[in-house]
Amino acid sequence: MSILKNRHFHLVCPSLRQLYASTIDGRRKGACLFCQEYFMDLYLLAELKTISLKVTTVDMQKPPPDFRTNFEATHPPILIDNGLAILENEKIERHIMKSVPGGHNLFIQDKEVASLIENLYSKLKLVLVRKDEHKSAALRAHLARIDALLERRGTRFLTGDTMCCFDCELMPRLQHIRVAGKYFVDFEIPTSFRALWRYMYHMYQLDAFTQSCPADQDIINHYKLQQLSTKGLILSPTLTRQKKDEESRTALKMKKHEELETPTFTTSIPVDINEPNEQ
């Protein structure tokens, strides 16, 4: 069985694999990028009937007793295969590639794509932390390079007309850029990036993405909690217990606000993907 973060995705495979992921309320899908990436990998394999997949979730602020007993404070993603717990992201990825039936077919060798998407998420984090135009420009420039690659290759996905591991890595990051970028710093992916929007349109049509995609509120809550942590308001050893309790209540109140909102999913496309690119 296999595990993601904040919420548990139980993947019941022929060899009994289980996947855990984190969530905002124990029911909805959480905004952990690695959780969604591995969920998408495994969902694609389930569609091919090489494995059987069942997904459940866990609120890491209130984990169930069996999770606490088996994993204590370990955060998902966690992969369990025949009783063996795999806790590190790189090892989970390697296990999917080498040990899950059909997994090797998802892992395409493409150095250009690998290097192109490697640092995309770090640029988003800098935009959210620094909140200045210089960092936003750097993120736009990075997206422009991805747009150019997609335009040049003319394929539906990054490496061809079928999905691979790179798509499972890139698309969750693009969704975070759309939702968190817009919410926190009014950042938007330019409509001139038509090949990129066409790519996102195709991804939005796939169950592997829509079934694993967190709600906008979950993504926003994810970064709100990160910002509190960055400011030293959560789990800082220098805080007094009273201060910790006070800030924990603030975080829980904020989390409750996002939890009570009706989940929304940003999946619209602001351009007509059928129109030819303007010269």
Side-chain angles (χ1 to χ4, degrees), residues 71-100:
F71 305 109
E72 298 181 348
T74 302
H75 274 254
I78 304 167
L79 179 66
I80 305 173
D81 190 355
N82 285 332
L84 174 65
I86 306 163
L87 308 181
E88 299 175 25
N89 292 335
E90 290 184 0
K91 292 181 179 180
I92 293 173
E93 183 175 302
R94 190 179 307 121
H95 190 85
I96 294 174
M97 177 173 62
K98 294 183 176 295
S99 300
V100 176

Side-chain angles (χ1 to χ4, degrees), residues 3-5 9 19-21 31-41 76-77 89-90 92-93 96 121 168-169 172-173 176:
I3 305 177
L4 291 177
K5 180 181 177 182
F9 299 92
L19 183 63
Y20 289 87
C32 168
L33 286 168
F34 291 110
C35 295
Q36 186 179 5
E37 178 182 341
Y38 301 145
F39 184 13
M40 290 178 68
D41 285 334
N89 292 335
E90 290 184 0
I92 293 173
E93 183 175 302
I96 294 174
Y121 184 60
C168 297
E169 181 178 349
R173 285 154 177 77
H176 281 228

Side-chain angles (χ1 to χ4, degrees):
M1 295 197 171
S2 0
I3 305 177
L4 291 177
K5 180 181 177 182
N6 280 356
R7 213 168 182 175
H8 299 225
F9 299 92
H10 299 240
L11 308 177
V12 183
C13 309
S15 59
L16 193 58
R17 296 178 178 86
Q18 176 180 12
L19 183 63
Y20 289 87
S22 46
T23 181
I24 194 173
D25 61 1
R27 298 183 302 275
R28 299 192 340 220
K29 292 178 286 293
C32 168
L33 286 168
F34 291 110
C35 295
Q36 186 179 5
E37 178 182 341
Y38 301 145
F39 184 13
M40 290 178 68
D41 285 334
L42 294 163
Y43 194 98
L44 289 171
L45 296 176
E47 286 187 321
L48 295 174
K49 310 297 184 183
T50 64
I51 64 172
S52 176
L53 174 62
K54 176 185 177 184
V55 177
T56 42
T57 61
V58 168
D59 183 349
M60 292 305 296
Q61 292 192 4
K62 297 179 294 183
D66 61 332
F67 185 91
R68 290 197 301 268
T69 299
N70 292 323
F71 305 109
E72 298 181 348
T74 302
H75 274 254
I78 304 167
L79 179 66
I80 305 173
D81 190 355
N82 285 332
L84 174 65
I86 306 163
L87 308 181
E88 299 175 25
N89 292 335
E90 290 184 0
K91 292 181 179 180
I92 293 173
E93 183 175 302
R94 190 179 307 121
H95 190 85
I96 294 174
M97 177 173 62
K98 294 183 176 295
S99 300
V100 176
H104 65 281
N105 294 319
L106 293 174
F107 290 84
I108 305 297
Q109 298 298 316
D110 192 317
K111 291 183 178 179
E112 183 181 15
V113 170
S115 62
L116 188 58
I117 67 177
E118 183 178 14
N119 297 316
L120 178 64
Y121 184 60
S122 63
K123 287 186 170 63
L124 170 63
K125 297 292 289 290
L126 285 173
V127 167
L128 299 181
V129 171
R130 302 289 180 82
K131 299 183 180 179
D132 63 53
E133 179 52 34
H134 177 71
K135 299 302 180 186
S136 294
L139 178 57
R140 274 193 296 273
H142 197 134
L143 292 170
R145 294 196 296 274
I146 298 175
D147 176 71
L149 177 138
L150 289 165
E151 179 63 29
R152 172 165 49 85
R153 293 191 172 188
T155 53
R156 184 180 298 260
F157 303 111
L158 285 170
T159 61
D161 289 326
T162 56
M163 282 183 63
C164 70
C165 61
F166 294 124
D167 299 296
C168 297
E169 181 178 349
L170 175 61
M171 188 58 196
R173 285 154 177 77
L174 292 175
Q175 189 70 4
H176 281 228
I177 289 170
R178 285 199 76 181
V179 175
K182 177 63 176 176
Y183 182 88
F184 290 103
V185 294
D186 201 30
F187 179 91
E188 294 184 321
I189 300 174
T191 55
S192 59
F193 296 172
R194 302 184 63 82
L196 182 58
W197 280 114
R198 188 180 303 113
Y199 170 83
M200 295 174 70
Y201 168 80
H202 290 308
M203 293 297 296
Y204 286 142
Q205 310 309 307
L206 298 175
D207 287 343
F209 180 77
T210 59
Q211 293 298 317
S212 63
C213 184
D216 296 349
Q217 289 83 355
D218 296 292
I219 294 174
I220 291 166
N221 181 73
H222 178 78
Y223 291 101
K224 283 183 177 180
L225 292 174
Q226 282 193 2
Q227 289 177 356
L228 282 177
S229 181
T230 300
K231 293 174 183 177
L233 298 181
I234 295 180
L235 303 180
S236 170
T238 62
L239 291 175
T240 64
R241 178 162 299 280
Q242 180 180 3
K243 185 67 174 177
K244 286 183 181 179
D245 291 343
E246 177 183 330
E247 299 303 342
S248 294
R249 285 195 297 271
T250 299
L252 288 172
K253 182 178 180 181
M254 178 189 69
K255 171 180 173 289
K256 193 67 177 178
H257 170 72
E258 307 293 352
E259 177 182 333
L260 290 174
E261 289 187 2
T262 301
T264 58
F265 298 85
T266 298
T267 58
S268 59
I269 300 295
V271 300
D272 185 348
I273 64 164
N274 295 313
E275 290 181 0
N277 289 349
E278 296 180 1
Q279 302 296 325

